[in-house]
Amino acid sequence: MANPNPEAKVITGSTPPQPQPPPPPQPTNSLPEEAIVPGVKKRQNVRFAFACATLASMTSILLGYDIGVMSGAVLFIQKDLKISDTQVEVLTGILNLYSLVGSFAAGRTSDWIGRRYTIVFASAIFFAGALLMGFAPNYALLMLGRFVAGIGVGYALMIAPVYTAEVSPASSRGFLTSFPEVFINTGILIGYISNYAFSHLPLNLGWRFMLGVGAIPSVFLAVGVLAMPESPRWLVMKGRLAEAASVLHRTSDTAEEAELRLLDIKKAAGVPAGCTDDFFAPAKRQRGGESVWKELFLRPTPPVRRILVTALGIHFFQQASGIDSVVLYSPRVFQKAGITDKNKLLGTTVAVGFVKTLFILVATFLLDRVGRRPLLLSSTGGMVASLAGLGIGLTVIGHSAGGTVPWAVGLSIASILAYVAFFSIGLGPITWVYTSEIFPLRLRALGCAVGVALNRCTSGVITMTFISLYKAITIGGSFFLYAGIATAAWVFFFTYLPETRGRMLEDTGKLFGIMDTDKDVDVCDEQPPHKSVGEEKAIQLTNNNSSSNTTTETGTNRQLPKV
């Protein structure tokens, strides 16, 4: 018969007495008490994340202002400096190619000095470029100013969406990550208004004020960004766990979400989930920056290849569908549509900027409610229809033998306004949101930098060839060509892009076939694969409640203190 009291047998035997079962865990739980009850959102945290995203995204206003102001300033620059149409094309579009330098350098810089100081660096570079353009006495120095400003723009375009995505909670990431596009459109509107305001100054002063005023926002941005916290994902990559946890608790909806986000970031960065030290010295990986290039371009796995193609495709189609031709050359397009008065031209461009900004604000509230994919497809479909209408209107006007065709003029103006509205409600903001979401942590900085580089390169080619293009195939034919490209974009988005709404950044890789990011990180090989966040948390809490005061990590000699 079995002993009814097995514990007594243990006491009388040779083995030492076993400790009593521990009481229900109270102080050992690593989660704060309020975190155990999910669903209680902290409004102050939402406001703080909103403020961080706003400050970071305001760097994009620099590009927007340059695009908007150059569309009108170039009319006065051409008269003052006596430059040709070819020089005008180069002047307007070259900034996009110059920004390649900044976007490629921004990935390495942001991994080195952090996301926050990279934003400050971008503002300082653009400040210098704006001053050079404003005081340029000739075309050569004006181009030098464009080069410096372009580097700053490249930095800003890459780092703003990355920082915003990394600091935002999943519930509002689409809303907050769309802010860079919001501020690009705000900058375009301010640039249009600046054109109208300074157009009445003498010819040699008006365009210089238009360009030089762009230095003012960069000063306030550089100072304001210093009040922001650093990205929690960058802090974890550098082993600064306590600082990362503090930032996550200030930017997450609940304390529980902050813990879950921290576990996911640790997992992606190769930090043991049970490590609760304030600082963790990251193991030196054998794979350096060169290996990231190899993993992304030379020997990508099928999931990584699909992510790369997705990011490059959405950036290419955003610009190849002709948005910068409409925005940068809107005065010329309206001239072709029959509007010749200078004040009316600049006033109509202000209307374009207003519509663009209005609909980007609408998009920010729909991204996390409707989702990325429905907005992207409906936006691109509307762009196809609008570009076709603009092509029809301009073709009819071009064949009117000098007479005005009121309905064609109205169709052209309405099509331009509809086009920028459809672009702003979908393809404009979603390009930046989607790209910042899909790359794994180790590839995110470089992947986003490459996407921005292709974006700016495509924009540069489009803007530097628009005048030559419409002279070759007529201006109506140019927009029919853009409509065809937008149609190809719709097919690509429909067949290739999955929905990412509501997912944590570390989970989006599963949509492309990356089942476990740990397998790609050397220092994580010791951890069991295919553990979900809930399983990781349960294992951690179980270990915390055991009788061991220290936990020895398998395969290493490092001992971690009790949580």
Side-chain angles (χ1 to χ4, degrees), residues 466-524:
F466 178 71
I467 297 177
S468 302
L469 180 67
Y470 80 66
K471 286 182 178 179
I473 64 173
T474 74
I475 192 166
S478 301
F479 289 104
F480 282 129
L481 175 62
Y482 294 146
I485 295 174
T487 302
W490 191 95
V491 175
F492 175 79
F493 300 151
F494 181 79
T495 57
Y496 220 73
L497 274 66
E499 179 60 70
T500 60
R501 178 172 64 102
R503 287 181 173 265
M504 289 188 177
L505 289 181
E506 286 68 32
D507 289 336
T508 55
K510 297 177 182 178
L511 298 172
F512 297 88
I514 299 179
M515 299 309 298
D516 190 359
T517 55
D518 286 356
K519 289 182 140 185
D520 297 323
V521 184
D522 296 336
V523 295
C524 288

Short mmCIF file of all heavy atoms in Angstrom, two decimals, residues 466-524:
data_model
loop_
_atom_site.label_atom_id
_atom_site.label_comp_id
_atom_site.label_asym_id
_atom_site.label_seq_id
_atom_site.Cartn_x
_atom_site.Cartn_y
_atom_site.Cartn_z
N PHE A 466 10.32 65.71 -67.00
CA PHE A 466 8.92 66.01 -67.29
C PHE A 466 8.77 66.99 -68.44
O PHE A 466 7.95 66.79 -69.35
CB PHE A 466 8.22 66.56 -66.04
CG PHE A 466 6.79 66.93 -66.29
CD1 PHE A 466 5.83 65.96 -66.50
CD2 PHE A 466 6.38 68.27 -66.30
CE1 PHE A 466 4.50 66.30 -66.73
CE2 PHE A 466 5.07 68.61 -66.53
CZ PHE A 466 4.12 67.62 -66.74
N ILE A 467 9.53 68.07 -68.44
CA ILE A 467 9.41 69.06 -69.51
C ILE A 467 9.80 68.44 -70.85
O ILE A 467 9.09 68.61 -71.86
CB ILE A 467 10.28 70.30 -69.21
CG1 ILE A 467 9.78 71.00 -67.94
CG2 ILE A 467 10.26 71.27 -70.39
CD1 ILE A 467 10.63 72.20 -67.52
N SER A 468 10.89 67.69 -70.87
CA SER A 468 11.29 67.02 -72.11
C SER A 468 10.26 65.99 -72.54
O SER A 468 10.00 65.82 -73.75
CB SER A 468 12.66 66.34 -71.92
OG SER A 468 13.64 67.28 -71.54
N LEU A 469 9.65 65.31 -71.56
CA LEU A 469 8.66 64.28 -71.87
C LEU A 469 7.43 64.89 -72.53
O LEU A 469 6.96 64.39 -73.57
CB LEU A 469 8.27 63.53 -70.59
CG LEU A 469 7.22 62.42 -70.74
CD1 LEU A 469 7.79 61.26 -71.56
CD2 LEU A 469 6.77 61.92 -69.37
N TYR A 470 6.89 65.96 -71.93
CA TYR A 470 5.66 66.49 -72.52
C TYR A 470 5.92 67.22 -73.84
O TYR A 470 5.01 67.36 -74.65
CB TYR A 470 4.89 67.35 -71.52
CG TYR A 470 5.34 68.77 -71.29
CD1 TYR A 470 5.27 69.74 -72.27
CD2 TYR A 470 5.76 69.18 -70.02
CE1 TYR A 470 5.65 71.05 -72.04
CE2 TYR A 470 6.13 70.48 -69.76
CZ TYR A 470 6.09 71.41 -70.78
OH TYR A 470 6.45 72.71 -70.54
N LYS A 471 7.17 67.67 -74.06
CA LYS A 471 7.48 68.22 -75.37
C LYS A 471 7.55 67.12 -76.43
O LYS A 471 7.28 67.37 -77.61
CB LYS A 471 8.82 68.97 -75.32
CG LYS A 471 8.74 70.31 -74.60
CD LYS A 471 10.09 71.01 -74.62
CE LYS A 471 10.00 72.38 -73.95
NZ LYS A 471 11.33 73.08 -73.93
N ALA A 472 7.90 65.91 -76.00
CA ALA A 472 8.03 64.79 -76.94
C ALA A 472 6.71 64.10 -77.23
O ALA A 472 6.42 63.75 -78.39
CB ALA A 472 9.04 63.78 -76.40
N ILE A 473 5.87 63.89 -76.21
CA ILE A 473 4.63 63.12 -76.42
C ILE A 473 3.39 63.92 -76.04
O ILE A 473 2.32 63.32 -75.90
CB ILE A 473 4.67 61.79 -75.62
CG1 ILE A 473 4.72 62.06 -74.11
CG2 ILE A 473 5.84 60.93 -76.04
CD1 ILE A 473 4.59 60.78 -73.26
N THR A 474 3.49 65.22 -75.91
CA THR A 474 2.43 66.15 -75.48
C THR A 474 2.17 65.99 -73.98
O THR A 474 2.41 64.92 -73.40
CB THR A 474 1.10 65.97 -76.23
OG1 THR A 474 0.44 64.78 -75.78
CG2 THR A 474 1.32 65.91 -77.73
N ILE A 475 1.65 67.03 -73.39
CA ILE A 475 1.43 67.00 -71.95
C ILE A 475 0.29 66.05 -71.59
O ILE A 475 0.31 65.38 -70.55
CB ILE A 475 1.16 68.43 -71.41
CG1 ILE A 475 1.23 68.43 -69.88
CG2 ILE A 475 -0.18 68.97 -71.91
CD1 ILE A 475 1.32 69.81 -69.28
N GLY A 476 -0.71 65.94 -72.47
CA GLY A 476 -1.77 64.96 -72.23
C GLY A 476 -1.24 63.54 -72.29
O GLY A 476 -1.60 62.68 -71.47
N GLY A 477 -0.35 63.27 -73.25
CA GLY A 477 0.24 61.95 -73.36
C GLY A 477 1.07 61.59 -72.14
O GLY A 477 1.15 60.41 -71.75
N SER A 478 1.72 62.59 -71.52
CA SER A 478 2.51 62.33 -70.32
C SER A 478 1.64 61.76 -69.21
O SER A 478 2.02 60.79 -68.52
CB SER A 478 3.18 63.63 -69.85
OG SER A 478 4.01 64.17 -70.85
N PHE A 479 0.46 62.35 -69.04
CA PHE A 479 -0.40 61.87 -67.94
C PHE A 479 -1.10 60.56 -68.30
O PHE A 479 -1.45 59.79 -67.40
CB PHE A 479 -1.39 62.97 -67.56
CG PHE A 479 -0.73 64.11 -66.84
CD1 PHE A 479 -0.48 65.32 -67.50
CD2 PHE A 479 -0.31 63.97 -65.54
CE1 PHE A 479 0.16 66.37 -66.85
CE2 PHE A 479 0.34 65.02 -64.87
CZ PHE A 479 0.57 66.21 -65.53
N PHE A 480 -1.29 60.28 -69.57
CA PHE A 480 -1.76 58.93 -69.95
C PHE A 480 -0.69 57.89 -69.59
O PHE A 480 -1.01 56.79 -69.15
CB PHE A 480 -2.08 58.88 -71.44
CG PHE A 480 -3.40 59.49 -71.81
CD1 PHE A 480 -3.50 60.43 -72.83
CD2 PHE A 480 -4.57 59.12 -71.13
CE1 PHE A 480 -4.72 61.01 -73.16
CE2 PHE A 480 -5.79 59.68 -71.48
CZ PHE A 480 -5.87 60.63 -72.49
N LEU A 481 0.58 58.26 -69.78
CA LEU A 481 1.67 57.35 -69.41
C LEU A 481 1.67 57.10 -67.90
O LEU A 481 1.81 55.95 -67.45
CB LEU A 481 3.01 57.94 -69.85
CG LEU A 481 4.26 57.17 -69.43
CD1 LEU A 481 4.27 55.77 -70.04
CD2 LEU A 481 5.53 57.94 -69.83
N TYR A 482 1.50 58.16 -67.11
CA TYR A 482 1.44 57.99 -65.66
C TYR A 482 0.23 57.13 -65.25
O TYR A 482 0.31 56.35 -64.29
CB TYR A 482 1.36 59.35 -64.97
CG TYR A 482 2.61 60.20 -65.13
CD1 TYR A 482 2.52 61.59 -65.22
CD2 TYR A 482 3.87 59.63 -65.21
CE1 TYR A 482 3.65 62.38 -65.36
CE2 TYR A 482 5.01 60.41 -65.36
CZ TYR A 482 4.89 61.79 -65.44
OH TYR A 482 6.02 62.57 -65.58
N ALA A 483 -0.87 57.28 -65.97
CA ALA A 483 -2.05 56.45 -65.67
C ALA A 483 -1.75 54.97 -65.91
O ALA A 483 -2.19 54.10 -65.13
CB ALA A 483 -3.24 56.89 -66.54
N GLY A 484 -0.99 54.67 -66.97
CA GLY A 484 -0.61 53.28 -67.21
C GLY A 484 0.28 52.73 -66.11
O GLY A 484 0.13 51.58 -65.68
N ILE A 485 1.22 53.55 -65.62
CA ILE A 485 2.09 53.11 -64.52
C ILE A 485 1.27 52.88 -63.26
O ILE A 485 1.50 51.91 -62.52
CB ILE A 485 3.20 54.16 -64.29
CG1 ILE A 485 4.11 54.24 -65.52
CG2 ILE A 485 4.00 53.82 -63.05
CD1 ILE A 485 5.15 55.34 -65.45
N ALA A 486 0.31 53.76 -62.99
CA ALA A 486 -0.54 53.59 -61.81
C ALA A 486 -1.38 52.32 -61.90
O ALA A 486 -1.65 51.66 -60.89
CB ALA A 486 -1.44 54.81 -61.63
N THR A 487 -1.79 51.95 -63.11
CA THR A 487 -2.53 50.70 -63.29
C THR A 487 -1.65 49.50 -62.93
O THR A 487 -2.10 48.56 -62.25
CB THR A 487 -3.01 50.58 -64.74
OG1 THR A 487 -3.83 51.71 -65.07
CG2 THR A 487 -3.81 49.30 -64.94
N ALA A 488 -0.39 49.52 -63.38
CA ALA A 488 0.55 48.45 -63.02
C ALA A 488 0.78 48.42 -61.51
O ALA A 488 0.91 47.33 -60.92
CB ALA A 488 1.87 48.66 -63.76
N ALA A 489 0.78 49.59 -60.89
CA ALA A 489 0.94 49.65 -59.42
C ALA A 489 -0.22 48.97 -58.72
O ALA A 489 -0.03 48.23 -57.75
CB ALA A 489 1.05 51.11 -58.98
N TRP A 490 -1.45 49.20 -59.20
CA TRP A 490 -2.62 48.58 -58.58
C TRP A 490 -2.51 47.05 -58.64
O TRP A 490 -2.80 46.36 -57.65
CB TRP A 490 -3.89 49.05 -59.27
CG TRP A 490 -5.15 48.68 -58.54
CD1 TRP A 490 -5.85 49.45 -57.66
CD2 TRP A 490 -5.86 47.43 -58.64
NE1 TRP A 490 -6.93 48.76 -57.19
CE2 TRP A 490 -6.97 47.52 -57.76
CE3 TRP A 490 -5.67 46.26 -59.36
CZ2 TRP A 490 -7.88 46.49 -57.60
CZ3 TRP A 490 -6.56 45.21 -59.20
CH2 TRP A 490 -7.66 45.33 -58.33
N VAL A 491 -2.10 46.53 -59.77
CA VAL A 491 -1.95 45.08 -59.92
C VAL A 491 -0.89 44.55 -58.95
O VAL A 491 -1.07 43.52 -58.30
CB VAL A 491 -1.59 44.71 -61.37
CG1 VAL A 491 -1.30 43.21 -61.50
CG2 VAL A 491 -2.72 45.13 -62.31
N PHE A 492 0.23 45.26 -58.83
CA PHE A 492 1.30 44.85 -57.92
C PHE A 492 0.81 44.84 -56.47
O PHE A 492 1.05 43.88 -55.73
CB PHE A 492 2.49 45.79 -58.08
CG PHE A 492 3.61 45.54 -57.11
CD1 PHE A 492 4.50 44.51 -57.32
CD2 PHE A 492 3.77 46.34 -55.99
CE1 PHE A 492 5.55 44.28 -56.43
CE2 PHE A 492 4.80 46.12 -55.09
CZ PHE A 492 5.69 45.08 -55.31
N PHE A 493 0.12 45.90 -56.07
CA PHE A 493 -0.36 45.97 -54.69
C PHE A 493 -1.37 44.87 -54.40
O PHE A 493 -1.38 44.27 -53.32
CB PHE A 493 -0.99 47.33 -54.41
CG PHE A 493 -0.05 48.49 -54.59
CD1 PHE A 493 -0.52 49.75 -54.97
CD2 PHE A 493 1.32 48.34 -54.41
CE1 PHE A 493 0.33 50.81 -55.14
CE2 PHE A 493 2.19 49.41 -54.58
CZ PHE A 493 1.70 50.65 -54.95
N PHE A 494 -2.24 44.60 -55.35
CA PHE A 494 -3.29 43.61 -55.15
C PHE A 494 -2.71 42.20 -54.99
O PHE A 494 -3.19 41.41 -54.19
CB PHE A 494 -4.28 43.63 -56.33
CG PHE A 494 -5.41 42.65 -56.20
CD1 PHE A 494 -6.50 42.93 -55.39
CD2 PHE A 494 -5.37 41.44 -56.87
CE1 PHE A 494 -7.54 42.03 -55.25
CE2 PHE A 494 -6.41 40.53 -56.76
CZ PHE A 494 -7.50 40.82 -55.93
N THR A 495 -1.67 41.89 -55.73
CA THR A 495 -1.14 40.52 -55.74
C THR A 495 -0.01 40.31 -54.74
O THR A 495 0.30 39.16 -54.42
CB THR A 495 -0.61 40.16 -57.14
OG1 THR A 495 0.39 41.12 -57.53
CG2 THR A 495 -1.74 40.19 -58.16
N TYR A 496 0.60 41.38 -54.20
CA TYR A 496 1.87 41.20 -53.49
C TYR A 496 1.86 41.67 -52.05
O TYR A 496 2.69 41.23 -51.26
CB TYR A 496 2.98 41.93 -54.26
CG TYR A 496 4.28 41.17 -54.31
CD1 TYR A 496 4.41 40.05 -55.12
CD2 TYR A 496 5.39 41.56 -53.56
CE1 TYR A 496 5.61 39.35 -55.19
CE2 TYR A 496 6.58 40.86 -53.62
CZ TYR A 496 6.69 39.76 -54.44
OH TYR A 496 7.86 39.05 -54.50
N LEU A 497 0.98 42.58 -51.66
CA LEU A 497 1.07 43.22 -50.36
C LEU A 497 0.02 42.68 -49.39
O LEU A 497 -1.18 42.88 -49.61
CB LEU A 497 0.91 44.75 -50.48
CG LEU A 497 2.18 45.54 -50.78
CD1 LEU A 497 2.73 45.21 -52.16
CD2 LEU A 497 1.91 47.03 -50.66
N PRO A 498 0.43 42.02 -48.29
CA PRO A 498 -0.53 41.59 -47.27
C PRO A 498 -0.87 42.74 -46.32
O PRO A 498 -0.19 43.77 -46.29
CB PRO A 498 0.23 40.48 -46.53
CG PRO A 498 1.67 40.88 -46.66
CD PRO A 498 1.79 41.55 -48.01
N GLU A 499 -1.91 42.55 -45.54
CA GLU A 499 -2.34 43.55 -44.56
C GLU A 499 -1.47 43.46 -43.31
O GLU A 499 -1.19 42.36 -42.82
CB GLU A 499 -3.81 43.33 -44.20
CG GLU A 499 -4.37 44.31 -43.17
CD GLU A 499 -4.28 45.74 -43.66
OE1 GLU A 499 -5.03 46.10 -44.58
OE2 GLU A 499 -3.45 46.50 -43.09
N THR A 500 -1.04 44.61 -42.77
CA THR A 500 -0.20 44.64 -41.57
C THR A 500 -0.87 45.35 -40.40
O THR A 500 -0.25 45.50 -39.34
CB THR A 500 1.14 45.34 -41.86
OG1 THR A 500 0.88 46.70 -42.29
CG2 THR A 500 1.91 44.61 -42.95
N ARG A 501 -2.09 45.77 -40.56
CA ARG A 501 -2.77 46.55 -39.51
C ARG A 501 -2.86 45.75 -38.22
O ARG A 501 -3.24 44.59 -38.21
CB ARG A 501 -4.17 46.94 -39.98
CG ARG A 501 -4.99 47.71 -38.95
CD ARG A 501 -6.27 48.21 -39.58
NE ARG A 501 -7.14 47.12 -39.98
CZ ARG A 501 -8.22 46.72 -39.30
NH1 ARG A 501 -8.54 47.31 -38.17
NH2 ARG A 501 -8.96 45.72 -39.74
N GLY A 502 -2.53 46.40 -37.09
CA GLY A 502 -2.71 45.82 -35.77
C GLY A 502 -1.64 44.86 -35.31
O GLY A 502 -1.71 44.36 -34.19
N ARG A 503 -0.63 44.60 -36.14
CA ARG A 503 0.42 43.66 -35.75
C ARG A 503 1.60 44.41 -35.15
O ARG A 503 1.92 45.52 -35.54
CB ARG A 503 0.91 42.86 -36.96
CG ARG A 503 -0.08 41.79 -37.43
CD ARG A 503 0.50 41.04 -38.61
NE ARG A 503 -0.34 39.91 -38.98
CZ ARG A 503 -0.15 38.67 -38.56
NH1 ARG A 503 0.85 38.39 -37.74
NH2 ARG A 503 -0.95 37.69 -38.94
N MET A 504 2.26 43.75 -34.17
CA MET A 504 3.50 44.31 -33.65
C MET A 504 4.58 44.20 -34.72
O MET A 504 4.55 43.32 -35.57
CB MET A 504 3.94 43.58 -32.38
CG MET A 504 3.06 43.87 -31.18
SD MET A 504 3.75 43.20 -29.66
CE MET A 504 2.53 43.78 -28.47
N LEU A 505 5.57 45.09 -34.65
CA LEU A 505 6.60 45.12 -35.68
C LEU A 505 7.32 43.79 -35.79
O LEU A 505 7.69 43.35 -36.88
CB LEU A 505 7.62 46.23 -35.36
CG LEU A 505 7.14 47.67 -35.54
CD1 LEU A 505 8.27 48.63 -35.22
CD2 LEU A 505 6.62 47.92 -36.94
N GLU A 506 7.54 43.13 -34.62
CA GLU A 506 8.29 41.87 -34.63
C GLU A 506 7.46 40.72 -35.20
O GLU A 506 8.00 39.63 -35.43
CB GLU A 506 8.76 41.52 -33.22
CG GLU A 506 9.92 42.37 -32.72
CD GLU A 506 9.56 43.83 -32.49
OE1 GLU A 506 8.40 44.12 -32.11
OE2 GLU A 506 10.42 44.69 -32.69
N ASP A 507 6.15 40.92 -35.41
CA ASP A 507 5.29 39.87 -35.94
C ASP A 507 5.01 39.99 -37.44
O ASP A 507 4.51 39.05 -38.05
CB ASP A 507 3.94 39.86 -35.21
CG ASP A 507 4.08 39.36 -33.78
OD1 ASP A 507 5.05 38.62 -33.52
OD2 ASP A 507 3.24 39.70 -32.93
N THR A 508 5.31 41.14 -38.03
CA THR A 508 4.95 41.33 -39.44
C THR A 508 5.75 40.43 -40.37
O THR A 508 5.29 40.12 -41.47
CB THR A 508 5.16 42.80 -39.86
OG1 THR A 508 6.52 43.18 -39.57
CG2 THR A 508 4.21 43.72 -39.12
N GLY A 509 6.93 39.99 -39.93
CA GLY A 509 7.73 39.10 -40.77
C GLY A 509 7.02 37.79 -41.07
O GLY A 509 7.26 37.16 -42.11
N LYS A 510 6.12 37.36 -40.18
CA LYS A 510 5.39 36.11 -40.41
C LYS A 510 4.48 36.20 -41.63
O LYS A 510 4.19 35.18 -42.26
CB LYS A 510 4.57 35.75 -39.17
CG LYS A 510 5.42 35.48 -37.94
CD LYS A 510 4.56 35.19 -36.71
CE LYS A 510 5.43 34.96 -35.48
NZ LYS A 510 4.62 34.73 -34.26
N LEU A 511 4.04 37.40 -41.98
CA LEU A 511 3.20 37.56 -43.16
C LEU A 511 3.96 37.24 -44.44
O LEU A 511 3.36 36.91 -45.46
CB LEU A 511 2.67 39.00 -43.23
CG LEU A 511 1.77 39.46 -42.07
CD1 LEU A 511 1.50 40.95 -42.19
CD2 LEU A 511 0.47 38.69 -42.07
N PHE A 512 5.29 37.36 -44.37
CA PHE A 512 6.11 37.11 -45.55
C PHE A 512 6.85 35.77 -45.45
O PHE A 512 7.66 35.46 -46.32
CB PHE A 512 7.13 38.24 -45.72
CG PHE A 512 6.49 39.58 -45.97
CD1 PHE A 512 6.12 40.40 -44.92
CD2 PHE A 512 6.25 40.01 -47.26
CE1 PHE A 512 5.52 41.63 -45.15
CE2 PHE A 512 5.66 41.24 -47.50
CZ PHE A 512 5.29 42.05 -46.43
N GLY A 513 6.59 35.00 -44.39
CA GLY A 513 7.20 33.68 -44.27
C GLY A 513 8.33 33.58 -43.29
O GLY A 513 8.93 32.52 -43.14
N ILE A 514 8.68 34.68 -42.59
CA ILE A 514 9.71 34.62 -41.55
C ILE A 514 9.03 34.16 -40.27
O ILE A 514 8.36 34.93 -39.59
CB ILE A 514 10.38 35.99 -41.34
CG1 ILE A 514 11.06 36.45 -42.63
CG2 ILE A 514 11.40 35.92 -40.21
CD1 ILE A 514 11.73 37.80 -42.52
N MET A 515 9.20 32.89 -39.93
CA MET A 515 8.48 32.32 -38.79
C MET A 515 9.17 32.58 -37.48
O MET A 515 8.56 32.58 -36.44
CB MET A 515 8.30 30.81 -38.98
CG MET A 515 7.50 30.46 -40.22
SD MET A 515 5.93 31.37 -40.33
CE MET A 515 5.12 30.76 -38.86
N ASP A 516 10.49 32.77 -37.48
CA ASP A 516 11.20 32.96 -36.22
C ASP A 516 12.43 33.81 -36.48
O ASP A 516 13.39 33.35 -37.07
CB ASP A 516 11.62 31.62 -35.62
CG ASP A 516 12.14 31.76 -34.20
OD1 ASP A 516 12.18 32.91 -33.72
OD2 ASP A 516 12.48 30.74 -33.59
N THR A 517 12.37 35.06 -36.04
CA THR A 517 13.50 35.97 -36.27
C THR A 517 14.72 35.55 -35.48
O THR A 517 15.84 35.91 -35.82
CB THR A 517 13.11 37.41 -35.87
OG1 THR A 517 12.67 37.40 -34.52
CG2 THR A 517 12.03 37.94 -36.75
N ASP A 518 14.55 34.76 -34.41
CA ASP A 518 15.70 34.37 -33.60
C ASP A 518 16.70 33.54 -34.38
O ASP A 518 17.88 33.56 -34.13
CB ASP A 518 15.23 33.54 -32.40
CG ASP A 518 14.56 34.40 -31.35
OD1 ASP A 518 14.55 35.61 -31.57
OD2 ASP A 518 14.06 33.86 -30.37
N LYS A 519 16.22 32.75 -35.35
CA LYS A 519 17.11 31.86 -36.05
C LYS A 519 18.16 32.62 -36.85
O LYS A 519 19.18 32.06 -37.21
CB LYS A 519 16.31 30.97 -37.01
CG LYS A 519 15.49 29.94 -36.28
CD LYS A 519 14.78 29.09 -37.29
CE LYS A 519 14.79 27.64 -36.85
NZ LYS A 519 14.21 26.77 -37.86
N ASP A 520 17.87 33.89 -37.10
CA ASP A 520 18.80 34.69 -37.91
C ASP A 520 19.75 35.50 -37.06
O ASP A 520 20.50 36.29 -37.56
CB ASP A 520 18.01 35.63 -38.83
CG ASP A 520 17.17 34.87 -39.82
OD1 ASP A 520 17.64 33.83 -40.29
OD2 ASP A 520 16.05 35.32 -40.12
N VAL A 521 19.70 35.33 -35.73
CA VAL A 521 20.54 36.11 -34.84
C VAL A 521 21.41 35.16 -34.05
O VAL A 521 20.91 34.27 -33.38
CB VAL A 521 19.70 37.00 -33.89
CG1 VAL A 521 20.60 37.86 -33.06
CG2 VAL A 521 18.73 37.84 -34.70
N ASP A 522 22.72 35.36 -34.11
CA ASP A 522 23.63 34.38 -33.55
C ASP A 522 23.42 34.13 -32.07
O ASP A 522 23.41 33.00 -31.61
CB ASP A 522 25.08 34.85 -33.79
CG ASP A 522 25.40 34.92 -35.27
OD1 ASP A 522 24.74 34.21 -36.06
OD2 ASP A 522 26.30 35.68 -35.63
N VAL A 523 23.27 35.21 -31.28
CA VAL A 523 23.22 35.05 -29.85
C VAL A 523 21.91 34.47 -29.39
O VAL A 523 21.74 34.20 -28.22
CB VAL A 523 23.47 36.41 -29.15
CG1 VAL A 523 24.85 36.91 -29.43
CG2 VAL A 523 22.41 37.41 -29.58
N CYS A 524 20.97 34.26 -30.25
CA CYS A 524 19.70 33.69 -29.85
C CYS A 524 19.61 32.21 -30.14
O CYS A 524 18.56 31.62 -29.91
CB CYS A 524 18.55 34.40 -30.57
SG CYS A 524 18.27 36.05 -29.99
#
